[in-house]
Amino acid sequence: MADVLERVTKIIVDRLGVEESQVTLEASFKEDLGADSLDVVELVMELEDEFDMEISDEEAEKIVTVGDAVNYIKSRM
Amino acid sequence: MLQGKVALVTGASRGIGRAIALELARHGAKVAVNYAGSEAKAKEVVEEIEQMGGEAFMVQANVASSEAVEQMVKEVVERFGRIDILVNNAGITRDNLLMRMKEEEWDDVINTNLKGVFHCTKAVTRPMMKQRFGRIVNIASIVGVSGNPGQANYVAAKAGVIGFTKTAAKELASRNITVNAIAPGFITTDMTDRLSEDVRTEMLKQIPLARFGEPEDIAKVVSFLVSDAANYITGQTIHVDGGMVM
């Protein structure tokens, strides 16, 4: 399961240009990691590709923190 | 000018859309020729593009349906590997005086001319964002700026397209996707051939350049807006109307 967090973290670091240490489960994409709405949409798109799954718009709207993303992906695997 | 670029033109079997498809192909773009009902006409456009050594294929979809549009965009990306240019051109008219206009006439025009633009733009946004490149051109109408009796539905849809263009331009600019609109004036097509001689004579008086436009007049502005020459233009509505509305 740590593997999911690792893969998610790598995508966030690449996309948002933040330090790996900033990417904690509690970190909010917008509040803590400096993402704007479009960045979050793009992150979700990349997560879909990385984990080969479709995340509906309704589900995507609920993803606020790194932990939300990780939990959602785990629940679908 | 557009070598290696992939374009999707909606409503490309006839009129302005047809001219746009041919013009983009002439500049080297691979073109997906969308049509709703005129299959034979769409086939002619594809054949004409192939005859000039270009690449094209036809794809049926009613732009008012989100499922059909998603399927269409998927098909284009599967076939050509990417999508660089979207021209939202598909449009219909159901003219009637406001007092006589049926709800159905209103809905039909809004669904195709406005909602269709939303569906198509939304569907291409994902691949364009990933590519960090996209050129979207919406074919509005000069009546969306000026108003026109008998066309409340059409005018509302076209004015809506102009507002939509500005919003999409602002949302997508950071991803190098430009969104512009063209507002054609009186262009000779099947749509305008239906008008009576009186109406045509009356309209001619309002055009400073004293002639009706040709579909190619619009197509050339589209090819400009999707070319590198227009990289710094977004959110604009270009009037191509012989000076009718200033």
Side-chain angles (χ1 to χ4, degrees), chain A residues 15 38-39 42 48-49, chain B residues 126 129-130 132 175:
Chain A
R15 169 60 61 205
L38 209 51
D39 289 324
E42 280 195 312
E48 286 181 321
D49 290 343
Chain B
R126 187 188 176 102
M129 273 172 72
K130 283 195 178 176
R132 286 287 190 274
R175 269 50 176 181

